[in-house]
Amino acid sequence: MHSRFGAGEGRFGRRFGGPFGHYKHDMFNQGFRKVPVNIEETETSFIIELFAPALVKENLKVATKDDVLTISYQAEEEADSAKKYSRREYSNCTFERAFGLNGKVLIENISANYADGILKVTLPKNPETNTPEKDILVD
């Protein structure tokens, strides 16, 4: 059965695969938006690709605390706030996403790069906690 947002628990537990449970603000009433992410697993790392075009790179923040990776963006005051739109489908809004790491990542080796509207965060796997899958013989 799928969770409410269509994502399973995944390798990082509920916090990584589904609703994160600790939005600081209601995303519709306070200007927060949920930005989409893809999470790829390779042999040596997890790669988060966050789709957020037209951002000011200096306003992006990637941080870890208490085994949680937080990606946030603090938008500047919009210069075009006086404009009257007949339709507006995107804006450069503030957002925050959080991901529980559950000891699966070497935090000191995390790297991030923002290019072409994609923030790519590489999370090197912790070899002590990322053991390969093992088949168990059923008698």
Side-chain angles (χ1 to χ4, degrees):
M1 178 163 218
H2 295 289
S3 72
R4 185 172 149 204
F5 292 98
E9 291 204 11
R11 295 258 317 184
F12 291 99
R14 183 97 177 122
R15 292 179 61 106
F16 205 78
F20 300 115
H22 78 277
Y23 288 111
K24 290 185 178 179
H25 303 283
D26 177 75
M27 67 183 207
F28 297 108
N29 294 330
Q30 299 295 328
F32 268 64
R33 65 180 175 147
K34 184 172 180 179
V35 292
V37 299
N38 290 336
I39 302 170
E40 176 186 357
E41 181 176 354
T42 68
E43 190 76 25
T44 60
S45 63
F46 300 100
I47 300 168
I48 297 175
E49 292 180 325
L50 182 134
F51 180 72
L55 300 182
V56 177
K57 183 167 61 172
E58 292 75 24
N59 294 349
L60 278 166
K61 181 179 178 184
V62 179
T64 59
K65 182 178 181 186
D66 299 329
D67 210 28
V68 174
L69 175 77
T70 304
I71 301 171
S72 61
Y73 181 76
Q74 184 61 49
E76 297 173 352
E77 293 293 322
E78 283 195 54
D80 62 354
S81 61
K83 292 181 182 178
K84 183 178 178 184
Y85 292 95
S86 60
R87 181 180 187 116
R88 187 168 186 182
E89 294 186 356
Y90 73 91
S91 67
N92 192 352
C93 297
T94 297
F95 67 82
E96 181 176 286
R97 295 288 306 257
F99 305 91
L101 301 177
N102 299 332
K104 302 271 185 197
V105 172
L106 297 171
I107 292 174
E108 60 277 358
N109 296 336
I110 294 174
S111 63
N113 180 43
Y114 181 69
D116 300 325
I118 306 282
L119 175 65
K120 184 175 181 178
V121 182
T122 303
L123 308 158
K125 288 182 178 179
N126 183 345
E128 294 177 11
T129 57
N130 286 285
T131 56
E133 183 178 310
K134 181 181 176 186
D135 290 333
I136 308 297
L137 180 64
V138 178
D139 289 332

